[in-house]
Amino acid sequence: SGDLTLFIEDQQPNVQVLLEFRVEDIETARKDLTNAGCQITKEYGDKSILIKDPYGMTFHLFQD
């Protein structure tokens, strides 16, 4: 845990919720989450990915 920042944006209907997490090691997070059934849906670079969990929630993971 640690600091938490929430952003609320005015979006069009049918836009899905996106949660964003800063991780200390993107490769470890990627490995752990894909082993748990998550799918990488987009890569923005070496340290920034979108991932979808088995329930359909989308997460953005990034490493500083």
Side-chain angles (χ1 to χ4, degrees), residues 1 3-4 9-10 14-15 19 25-27 29 35 41 44-46 48-49 56 60-62:
S1 283
D3 294 337
L4 172 68
E9 296 181 4
D10 185 17
N14 300 320
V15 174
L19 299 175
D25 183 347
I26 193 82
E27 290 307 317
N35 285 342
T41 60
Y44 295 106
D46 293 341
S48 178
I49 58 175
H60 175 230
L61 303 178
F62 67 95

Side-chain angles (χ1 to χ4, degrees), residues 3 5 10 14 17-18 20 23-27 30 32-33 42 45 48 50 56 60-61 64:
D3 294 337
T5 304
D10 185 17
N14 300 320
V17 174
L18 172 70
E20 186 171 75
V23 297
E24 293 198 19
D25 183 347
I26 193 82
E27 290 307 317
R30 175 197 303 259
D32 290 346
L33 290 167
K42 188 166 187 172
S48 178
L50 275 185
H60 175 230
L61 303 178
D64 287 336

